[in-house]
Amino acid sequence: MKKCIFTLCLFLLPLWGGRVGLLYSIEKVESPSLNLTAYFDVQEGRPVYWLLHKGDTVIRPSHLGLTIRGEKGRTDFNDFGTKERPTEEVNGLLSGFVMTGSERFIHDSWWEPVWGEERRIHDSYHEMLITLTQPAKERYIQIQFRLYDDGLGFRYIFPQQKNLNYFVIEEEQTEFAMPGDITAYWIPGDYDTQEYEYTRSKLSEIRAIQENTNKANLSTTTFSTSGVQTPVLFKTNNGLWMNIHEAALVNYSCMHLNLEDNHVFTSHLTPDIDGTKGHIQTSATSPWRVIMVGETAKDILASRIVLNLNEPCKIEDTSWIKPMKYVGVWWEMIAGMRDWSYTWDFPSIHIGVTDYSKAKPHGRHGATTENVKRYIDFAAKYGFDGVLVEGWNIGWEDWFGNEKDFVYDFVTPYPDFDVEGIHDYAKSKGVKMIMHHETSGAIRNYERWLDTAYQFMRKYEYPAVKSGYVGNILPIGEHHYSQFMNNHYQYCLEKAAKYHLMVNAHEAVRPTGLCRTWPNLIGNESAQGTEYQAFGGSVPNHTTMLPFTRLIGGPMDYTPGIFENDIHKLNPNSHSWCNTTLCNQLSLYVTLYSPLQMAADLPENYERFRDAFQFIVDVPVEWDTVYYLEAEPYEYVTIARKQKDKNAWFIGSTNGYDPRTAMIDLSFLPAGQKYTATIYADAKDAHYRNNPQAYTITTKTVTSKSKLRLFTAAGGGCAIKIVPKQ
Ligand code: NOJ
Ligand code: CA
């Protein structure tokens, strides 16, 4: 099935000793179907690229390169006790270049993900590999461009050589010169959180909007009021859609974009503890910088460029990696109805010091054996694969303490959580337990315990762990998205693979398609999730943005399924409101793709709406293929999926602020057959604030010629299940 063609045209090689040839022409590469053209040139010693879509400029001429320190190798560096940092190199890897090589490759293949939105993925690109030599420094780097029909990926390659062994990145200076004052869909730059709502504005408005937000003190580690995070979505003034992100973020710092004058974004890497942007030992590569381009917003959803730019799967036996639908002892704590901690005694001091068996319980602990068994029963009754339990292990009394470096051990349960008994009970019911590791950002502590914690999971047959990184990172001064932390997330993921464990990391760096290489990364949060509905409420259109932005890099553990909007009913002290209709919540199981889907509400709330809950019971987490039906970021999104190995189709339409009629064309269904559609729709008078639980459930005979017109309320949506008619 695999078809790979490689062709190579070698123009010139970077050779020292008299054989350095120079290329003077502008280099170009075209995408397989010729819709995109990327150009490369060296202008006054500086590398420059630009990108055209059918003759239209999408990226204006933009510089490439990096400023660095300590270029001459390790011996220059601070190895001998001197306090001096390596000094910044004049021009670094920024200028003084001549082009000494330009090669071309063609690639065309298909590959099968372990799990994903579709069974097979087409990987087809034209590559241009440029070699850039700095004669004055007697060294060279390469820039690798891969042009797909759905976008451009490029990265820096730092080959190992006499004059380039080790260096510190001062800043990556990649530019993205946008084609004018276009519309951006963005969240502000931040080294430590992505849990923001999206703003739609012109580029020229970004700074003022952020300055006003900063006045309200909403942002914590924003580095600049014109910084944004990726994936960032754009609509050009000619109606093209673009998205800038990165792929394969490994052993490197996470990239932000900073808007400079003249609508030019420059890369801004997350600093490490000493303020530099990363430590490179050659041979090395940067992550791919990705510019997705589409004629419609649906093209952005259909693009697989980020996955394609990642390495193939590195796990040989993947039989243990299984998508899961789960419930959990979670929303009760998020809503403030129960607690993660066990005792009033505060602080708990440190591991081994507090005797929890003598501590005074406050009686609001969520992870009690009894409560967990209730969730196991519920999961077994409705066919859920797993039960997540948070707050099962000691340490929660102390997790904001200064000494949190020693809070958790990830293996000692609270006295009222019977780990053995729960394991046996879940097993007897055919339900898997999902582990929870809240690291509280204490990285050394977590790494210290990691093997023990993963062995504990194996012993009690937990197939997956939800890890979390709430709060400031320890060591103090590190940020959530620095090279150091990205290496930590990778370390956990690879170690988990060795133990055959799946990972769903919250507050970790945004995903960049690494789930292709490490498919045991079955989830990430890395954006504002459902929890914010209990922290004051999310804006009703938040989930209409996620498929076009956050989900570009990989699936999100969004944890949908809240049926009871009024958090006050769970917690008298809360006045939060979940700003969606019930049908909007159902739609999310289809529109927010994830191999890991939670039914986040309490069992009793599902029993109250038993008929609507049936959609969550029925919706699968494994798919054969996807059909993007309607897409207008910030407004609405409608997606259909075919269940893996089954003749069943599921449709979700997620709506934002304005009530509308979703136009659902069923022509993706195989023709010549009749089907039964079960339609979960907002009632005519439904509204996310005033009447969120008003819905209708109807059945209808449909064919591939049917076109459904379905009302979706403000903050509303609809969900449909289609099966062949009996
Ligand atoms: C934040 C996570 O997003 C949430 O899901 C979790 O319950 C808490 N941290 C506690 O770890
Ligand atoms: Ca979170």
Side-chain angles (χ1 to χ4, degrees), residues 618-635:
D618 291 343
V619 72
V621 280
E622 294 192 85
W623 307 100
D624 270 344
T625 191
V626 56
Y627 308 93
Y628 302 107
L629 304 181
E630 297 185 302
E632 185 58 50
Y634 219 70
E635 309 288 343

Side-chain angles (χ1 to χ4, degrees), residues 445-553:
N445 183 56
Y446 191 42
E447 291 190 356
R448 199 151 50 211
W449 283 102
L450 202 54
D451 274 292
T452 316
Y454 284 169
Q455 280 156 16
F456 182 88
M457 283 178 63
R458 290 292 304 204
K459 181 172 171 202
Y460 293 108
E461 300 186 270
Y462 287 70
V465 57
K466 169 179 171 181
S467 54
Y469 296 87
V470 171
N472 294 336
I473 299 294
L474 284 181
I476 290 166
E478 281 294 349
H479 292 290
H480 281 74
Y481 315 137
S482 65
Q483 182 188 33
F484 169 85
M485 281 305 293
N486 297 337
N487 288 349
H488 164 80
Y489 307 128
Q490 191 65 24
Y491 175 72
C492 297
L493 186 60
E494 293 188 26
K495 190 179 278 294
K498 288 199 181 115
Y499 285 101
H500 287 192
L501 300 173
M502 300 183 280
V503 175
N504 162 29
H506 279 224
E507 294 89 31
V509 72
R510 43 194 162 274
T512 57
L514 283 167
C515 58
R516 176 182 180 185
T517 316
W518 300 98
N520 63 321
L521 181 59
I522 38 156
N524 272 119
E525 183 190 45
S526 308
Q528 183 173 124
T530 296
E531 61 188 9
Y532 279 75
Q533 300 285 15
F535 302 163
S538 291
V539 288
N541 67 339
H542 180 58
T543 49
T544 68
M545 279 311 305
L546 293 173
F548 305 93
T549 50
R550 161 63 185 78
L551 267 61
I552 293 297

